[in-house]
Amino acid sequence: MSVKIKDASVPVIPFKARLSRWFGRNLLRIYMVFGFTYLFIPVAYTFAFSFNDSGKSNLVWKGFTFRNWQNPCGAPEVCTALGNSIKIGFLATLFSTILGTLIAFAIGRYKFKGRSTSNLLIFLPMATPEIVLGASLLSLFLVFKINPGFWPTVIAHVMFCISFVVVTVKARIASLDPRLEQAAMDLYANEIETFRRVTLPLVAPGIAGAALLAFSLSFDDFIITNFNSGTLITFPKFVYVSAARGIPAQANVIGSAMFFLALAIVVAGQLVNRKKSR
Amino acid sequence: MKVSLPKSRVPYLLLFPGFAFLFTFFILPIINLAQTSTQTPVSGGDTGEYEQTFAFSNYVHAFLDNREQFARSFIFAALATIFALTIAYPLAYAIAFKSGKYKNVLLVLVVAPFFTSFLLRTVAWKQILGEEGFLVPTLRNLHLLGQQTTVTSTAFAVVAGMTYNFLPFMTLPLYASLERIDPRTIEAAGDLYANGITTFRKVTVPLSLPGVVAGTLLTFIPAAGDYVNAAILGSPNTKMIGNVIESRYFKIVDYPTAAALSFTLMAAILILVTLYIRKAGTEELV
Amino acid sequence: MGKGVSAGTRQLVSIEPIEARGDLRLTRITKSYGDFKAVDDLTLTIPKGSFFALLGPSGCGKTTTLRMVAGLEEPTVGSIHLGETDITTTRAYQRPINTVFQNYALFPHLTIFENIAFGLRRRGIKDVNEQVAKVLSLVELPHLADRKPTQLSGGQQQRIALARAIVNRPALLLLDEPLGALDLKLRRQMQIELKWIQREVGLTFVHVTHDQEEAMTMADTIAVMSEGKIEQMGSPADLYDNPQTTFVANFLGQSNLIKGRIDGGDGDNLVVDLFGQKIAMPKSRSHAIDNSLYAGIRPEKFRISRVGSPVRGNTLTGGRVEDVSYIGVSTQYVVAMPWGQELMIFEQNDDGVPPFDKDEEVVISWEPGFTFGLRGDEDIEAGTEVEPEEQAE
């Protein structure tokens, strides 16, 4: 490296150079602002139009009102759809988190024959386009004369959520220092106690994250749901179907409410974590 | 020796419920799909009644009839992946290295749009960029956009919609691998006479490669099979293979063709992914 | 075959009474991973109440040995006894043995208090509060009870790890490179403190390290390990003054090893021919098995003199100063001998003699009693070029 020796007086940097230097230093930050604006434009639009005094079609701004927020179930079927989505999301999260966590522990904690095949089986559903997953499952249901509907949709969601749960939990398990479990064993905790008092609490944030991911994947899924839900209407299906003739502002209310709720959960989680580590 | 037989059984016990589920509702359906794909209509039967005749010609017909949509699916998906990578890389880089104590907040913000249903957001784009939105008429008035030019119902809109929707899938893995880079390696590169660009090219990019691979796969795969963006933001001229499969299933009730198309799509994606992973030289994806 | 293979007779030591106190005896232990023998037919007794160090370079099998004692690995062959109790196949949580882990392995989700109370609670001890308080004041960190491990400095974490182990008053405390993560100054301080705590609580400490200085500072007895075997065992002074193998001679401090032949005896002494120059050494300090041997002399035992000045004891002539490094308390010389070997000499700066110049002709001398003899068929380089740092073993 070269060392430049200047005279002792503080060098004066010309304004133009200073400006370009500031720009160079903050280029990425400026970019970040644009990036996030891009990400949030439709969210902001959805939120803004939840206050539109729109009547039937929510395409053009017609005036400000709180009515949609006061009566979110005002549009026909919108709350039924929401209820179905929440129920399906809850069940799919529950089952996929349990099944996926078990698999993650098997793959992350043990060396056994067929481990790489297991990894492949977890990877495949993620590498398969949703439309193929949805269509193939529907074909199977049709063969067994099972009508599409609530439970087939839950099954479909569990199926595509498992892999994501496995990957998330496995990453957490992999980052766990094996010496912690050895230390517990060394300190008179048997296998079950070691799992309960050391392994599980340390993996728990990973499991919680996986569950949150599973719920949002399930709640937001349209393609697979569309194939397996039959006449049952879920929230994304409701939006898709009504997109053609104009989405009621109540859907914007629900979308925005979900957004803020999820944000609140994440922020609360972060705060709890921070408090814990303090 | 302990070797403890019960212990060696543990992983299989843990795997069993989940794998039984995946076998029944993932593997079996795929096998069934393969079967369906070579069926032909029962002569004189109702619509939707098919029998197994090992008609592999289904594949030929399915592919030849929908060459255009196949090509479009892969081109659109590839474009969306490239755009998403271009947008997400600096974003992920900025979050990983330039965000200081706001790192966690910014990460949450990347994921946050997820929580508003992606369909609502896609529809929002349609309305923002549509004829009745304020943007297009304004641009026309400023003569920045031709009077006849529309934004929605174009291939551009479909690719843009996919880019937008899959952006977080690209950003998160990129962030994860960038964040793992020890900043000292970047300083070391500077110390060893590499300028900013060279450091980026020779140190940062190679070290973030696993994230690039994961991000591009997580974007490309769902994009190739997507039909929602094409349905909402596109026109009949921008139909992708997903739209065809969907309508074969629900409108035409032509299960064998739909199955053959699905299978071709899946095979094409798996081949591409395998080649890609080979080339990128990363084995550890999951 | 040892007793350890008889898994059928495995008896479980109950968790509660930790009465199995006494010497730790490893009998013909072998641990193989496939074809590789990490520990090879090792027999060792560690007396109750001692501070014992297992010293060796990375991959010598010391950590594997420790893990077998802790119950985290099981020997392929052989048996481990604590007092009269066979603990070869006893599970880790059933042994009255605790470990201070490398990098401490403190539970990040528990407070310092709960970390220390962990073992007590598992054993169903009643007065947890009192015991934790006591051990916290022993390690002089009573004010940290409510903190989380990540909020502690390295040195503090080290003490908590120690407290978490000794609060259980184990029959045996294992320390796995406990000071490896600390900086030099803190390490020195902890070495003294550990030794003090060991005397205070009167437990048997087994300390695994690759740092010879650390082992020599703390341990009463050191076993030097190499390639799964014990090279030599003894007090630090024994090992340093009278090493029995070239590995120990080189790994513990520095040695000048000069190839020679035994050329007859003279009472209690041997006469040894070193490239034509005759020297004497005590018979009792020779470990050679035939005529061929290495004569070993530690660098600080050599004296260096000008040609013609009076010398006593063994002498070697024809040396020429190759390099001089003045390091305050002493001056280090490299002297080239006529047969091509370079010898290392440390000379205390306490005699007012001005340092020798480069290229000066010198005579080397030393007391015959300091010489040690090693087998001439051993590798002269053994123990010199070992990796100083070890991580995963």
Side-chain angles (χ1 to χ4, degrees), chain B residues 5 14 34 36 51 55 63 70 79 176 180-181 199 210 239 265:
Chain B
L5 273 175
L14 291 172
T36 312
E51 60 185 354
F63 183 73
F70 260 115
L79 286 175
R180 237 177 280 158
I181 297 178
T199 302
K239 272 201 177 142
L265 175 66

Side-chain angles (χ1 to χ4, degrees), chain C residues 329-389:
Chain C
V329 61
S330 65
T331 305
Q332 303 190 351
Y333 296 97
V334 176
V335 175
M337 300 310 288
W339 56 88
Q341 194 178 3
E342 291 180 336
L343 299 180
M344 177 73 79
I345 300 169
F346 300 164
E347 189 82 345
Q348 289 289 312
N349 292 326
D350 59 354
D351 50 7
V353 177
F356 293 82
D357 295 323
K358 195 170 177 318
D359 290 331
E360 202 169 336
E361 282 274 336
V362 290
V363 176
I364 295 169
S365 61
W366 73 96
E367 293 304 320
F370 288 140
T371 321
F372 50 88
L374 306 174
R375 284 169 57 167
D377 58 347
E378 288 185 334
D379 176 11
I380 192 170
E381 301 280 341
T384 48
E385 290 186 15
V386 282
E387 293 282 314
E389 194 45 49

Side-chain angles (χ1 to χ4, degrees), chain A residues 218-240:
Chain A
S218 161
F219 187 83
D220 211 18
D221 180 73
F222 171 71
I223 295 178
I224 295 175
T225 312
N226 197 30
F227 274 90
N228 292 290
S229 57
T231 53
L232 184 85
I233 195 138
T234 64
F235 187 65
K237 251 178 105 177
F238 174 83
V239 176
Y240 186 77

Side-chain angles (χ1 to χ4, degrees), chain A residues 2-189:
Chain A
S2 67
V3 181
K4 283 181 198 150
I5 300 167
K6 287 183 182 165
D7 47 276
S9 64
V10 180
V12 180
I13 304 164
F15 176 74
K16 214 172 153 186
R18 244 170 29 207
L19 188 73
S20 84
R21 196 178 289 184
W22 178 89
F23 202 72
R25 239 196 330 250
N26 290 288
L27 190 63
L28 270 171
R29 289 199 181 86
I30 298 165
Y31 181 87
M32 211 154 40
V33 172
F34 277 108
F36 279 109
T37 312
Y38 172 56
L39 274 174
F40 277 93
I41 283 176
V43 179
Y45 177 90
T46 305
F47 182 57
F49 273 66
S50 71
F51 296 104
N52 190 10
D53 193 1
S54 56
K56 245 201 154 129
S57 145
N58 194 7
L59 271 175
V60 195
W61 185 257
K62 289 192 182 133
F64 186 87
T65 178
F66 277 118
R67 206 181 310 129
N68 304 320
W69 282 84
Q70 283 158 349
N71 186 15
C73 292
E77 285 205 304
V78 66
C79 279
T80 322
L82 178 66
N84 286 338
S85 278
I86 291 174
K87 270 185 263 178
I88 290 165
F90 178 77
L91 290 168
T93 303
L94 184 71
F95 293 127
S96 64
T97 305
I98 293 171
L99 296 176
T101 302
L102 293 180
I103 295 175
F105 269 104
I107 296 177
R109 262 287 171 265
Y110 295 91
K111 284 204 173 81
F112 56 93
K113 239 188 204 159
R115 193 155 165 268
S116 50
T117 317
S118 308
N119 269 322
L120 186 69
L121 184 58
I122 295 304
F123 177 65
L124 270 181
M126 293 195 293
T128 309
E130 278 192 65
I131 191 153
V132 178
L133 293 178
S136 63
L137 199 52
L138 175 63
S139 309
L140 185 82
F141 287 137
L142 290 177
V143 168
F144 289 103
K145 309 268 184 256
I146 299 166
N147 283 329
F150 184 82
W151 285 106
T153 310
V154 172
I155 287 172
H157 284 201
V158 174
M159 185 263 294
F160 78 78
C161 286
I162 285 181
S163 300
F164 288 93
V165 172
V166 173
V167 172
T168 314
V169 177
K170 210 177 81 182
R172 182 77 191 182
I173 293 173
S175 71
L176 205 66
D177 184 351
R179 271 181 290 221
L180 292 172
E181 283 165 323
Q182 291 169 5
M185 298 276 267
D186 186 63
L187 293 163
Y188 313 104

